[in-house]
């Protein structure tokens, strides 16, 4: 069984609940009977070695994958019963940047925002927040890995979603960019949202008392 070490909650307003989650992949138990709550104001880091099930857990929390056992609830209702409300409350960025190489950085952001009902956004201002000024009209296929990641992360600067679930958001991002993101996470949490992320690196801006950790340890064969 995997246990999460969790600090005191910032708020009692529960947004997401994991109830006795068990995940099995290729006949291997990644974690079992894992339970925790995510409150408004929480910043939660999922830790563990490669293969421990971090990405699998995130996908279960988003509803993209189903657990072998257990359930995930949004505001105390199973997510499959409130799918529309849950999708509106969720912003998920996976391990891959999810950027179309044949589109410009600006067009990639515009397509995402339009699909999610955000019209008339100031695309140039948003891309400036992630240090992409001057690259707005560059094809994503010509951008670096870090610029791909920043194009994807720009979505965080124009969303009403309260629940942010982010798989390795700091990949290919320099130190200054990481600090900018951490401050964004703090602001989002202070405004009543929550952030759940995986990362192999220590966080330097978010105070230790604001950070919860859930540790997944690889099961022995």
């Amino acid at each position: 069984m995997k246990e999460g070490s969790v600090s005191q909650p910032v708020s009692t307003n529960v947004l997401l609940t994991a109830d006795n989650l068990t995940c099995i992949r290729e006949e291997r138990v990644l974690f079992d009977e894992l339970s925790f709550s995510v409150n408004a104001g929480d910043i939660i880091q999922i830790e563990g070695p490669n293969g421990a099930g971090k990405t699998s857990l995130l996908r279960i929390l988003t509803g993209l994958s189903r657990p072998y056992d257990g359930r995930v609830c949004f505001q105390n209702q199973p997510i499959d019963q409130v799918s529309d409300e849950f999708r509106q409350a969720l912003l998920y960025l996976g391990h891959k940047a999810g950027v179309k190489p044949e589109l410009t950085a600006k067009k990639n952001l515009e397509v995402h925002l339009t699909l999610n009902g955000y019209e008339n956004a100031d695309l140039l201002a948003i891309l400036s927040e992630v240090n992409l000024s001057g690259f707005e009209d560059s094809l994503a296929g010509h951008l670096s890995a870090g610029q791909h990641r920043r194009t994807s992360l720009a979505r965080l600067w124009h969303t009403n979603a309260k629940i942010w679930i982010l798989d390795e958001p700091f990949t290919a991002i320099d130190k200054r960019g990481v600090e900018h993101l951490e401050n964004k996470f703090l602001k989002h949490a202070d405004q009543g949202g929550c952030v759940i992320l995986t990362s192999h690196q220590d966080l330097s801006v978010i105070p230790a008392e604001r950070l919860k950790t859930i540790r997944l340890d690889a099961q022995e064969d």
Side-chain angles (χ1 to χ4, degrees):
M1 181 186 299
K2 302 296 184 296
E3 297 182 353
S5 57
V6 180
S7 63
Q8 292 298 315
V10 175
S11 168
T12 57
N13 182 10
V14 179
L15 294 175
L16 205 63
T17 305
D19 184 18
N20 288 314
L21 295 180
T22 295
C23 179
I24 299 176
R25 293 288 182 268
E26 298 179 353
E27 300 184 355
R28 178 170 170 259
V29 178
L30 298 181
F31 50 84
D32 67 292
E33 298 182 11
L34 178 65
S35 297
F36 58 90
S37 295
V38 183
N39 305 311
D42 281 349
I43 302 174
I44 298 179
Q45 183 175 8
I46 311 296
E47 297 182 340
N50 291 335
K54 299 187 299 297
T55 294
S56 294
L57 175 57
L58 294 191
R59 288 180 60 84
I60 289 171
L61 294 177
T62 63
L64 291 174
S65 298
R66 290 184 176 274
Y68 178 82
D69 198 8
R71 67 177 185 172
V72 177
C73 292
F74 168 60
Q75 295 181 335
N76 298 317
Q77 296 294 320
I79 58 175
D80 58 350
Q81 294 181 15
V82 288
S83 56
D84 289 341
E85 296 90 336
F86 181 56
R87 281 196 294 269
Q88 292 174 5
L90 174 67
L91 191 155
Y92 170 61
L93 298 181
H95 185 65
K96 295 182 179 180
V99 173
K100 293 184 179 296
E102 68 273 16
L103 301 181
T104 65
K106 183 169 67 177
K107 192 64 177 179
N108 266 287
L109 179 59
E110 180 183 3
V111 168
H112 168 80
L113 294 179
T114 299
L115 288 174
N116 287 275
Y118 303 118
E119 305 290 346
N120 303 317
D122 188 341
L123 301 176
L124 297 183
I126 296 171
L127 291 170
S128 175
E129 288 283 359
V130 291
N131 197 28
L132 283 175
S133 294
F135 296 94
E136 303 95 334
D137 296 316
S138 299
L139 291 176
H142 298 162
L143 299 178
S144 68
Q147 290 168 328
H148 273 200
R149 177 62 59 178
R150 292 202 296 274
T151 300
S152 178
L153 290 167
R155 305 169 190 178
L156 301 178
W157 271 263
H158 195 85
T159 178
N160 295 323
K162 286 188 172 292
I163 301 171
W164 293 1
I165 298 182
L166 314 173
D167 197 356
E168 297 291 345
F170 305 133
T171 298
I173 300 296
D174 60 21
K175 182 179 178 181
R176 183 178 178 183
V178 170
E179 292 174 352
H180 192 42
L181 276 175
E182 288 191 57
N183 280 312
K184 183 64 176 176
F185 297 164
L186 281 169
K187 182 177 180 180
H188 179 62
D190 288 342
Q191 293 174 340
C194 67
V195 182
I196 308 167
L197 72 146
T198 62
S199 177
H200 286 288
Q201 63 187 77
D202 294 330
L203 307 185
S204 60
V205 173
I206 298 172
E209 63 271 16
R210 289 294 307 272
L211 186 66
K212 293 183 178 183
T213 60
I214 296 174
R215 177 76 186 180
L216 302 180
D217 296 311
Q219 294 273 17
E220 296 182 0
D221 293 332

